[in-house]
Amino acid sequence: MRISATQRTENENRIRAAMDRLLRGEIPPGGKCDIKTLANEAAVDRTAFYGTRPYGHLRVEFERRLRALQDAGEIPDPREAQIARLKMEITKLKERLDKSEQSIDELTDFRTQALARLAAQHEEIVRLRDAVAGASRVSRLPAPRTTVIGTCS
């Protein structure tokens, strides 16, 4: 079905107005900042934006402007901005988790080494006590007296 030049101009004006609204972040409920939503907002068939159809140049313009905004760090679609923010947060949390796991591994190794050293020191003490007990030149001191002579005051 052919449309007149006046209808085509009106459609292009509606598409440009809808394009401006979407790129400002005025996304309708259930929509995104994409061609499908642009077509719905402008009340134009979505297939008119593809190939050699009449509004293909407007699709190219919309995608170019959207890409320019994204390159500038602005994301007009709040859901897309939230997704980007959550992806960054996930990356940071994964980095923290990796650091925590590394610290836990280091502390576990340290604990194992400390226990091994304590066990070795205990074995050395026991060995030295046995060696001292077997030597005849070492004499034992008498046990301390337990009886009290006189008053202690």
Side-chain angles (χ1 to χ4, degrees), residues 87-149:
K87 282 182 179 180
M88 285 182 9
E89 189 174 330
I90 286 171
T91 302
K92 288 178 184 177
L93 289 173
K94 283 182 179 180
E95 289 173 1
R96 281 183 55 195
L97 181 63
D98 289 342
K99 287 179 183 178
S100 296
E101 287 175 350
Q102 183 180 1
S103 295
I104 288 170
D105 289 343
E106 289 172 2
L107 291 171
T108 302
D109 289 345
F110 177 77
R111 179 177 176 255
T112 304
Q113 289 176 0
L115 288 173
R117 287 180 185 153
L118 284 172
Q121 289 173 353
H122 178 71
E123 290 296 322
E124 182 67 13
I125 290 170
V126 168
R127 187 188 64 76
L128 290 173
R129 283 184 182 159
D130 289 343
V132 168
S136 60
R137 289 187 296 171
V138 177
S139 60
R140 293 268 183 204
L141 293 174
R145 294 188 285 192
T146 58
T147 52
V148 178
I149 302 174

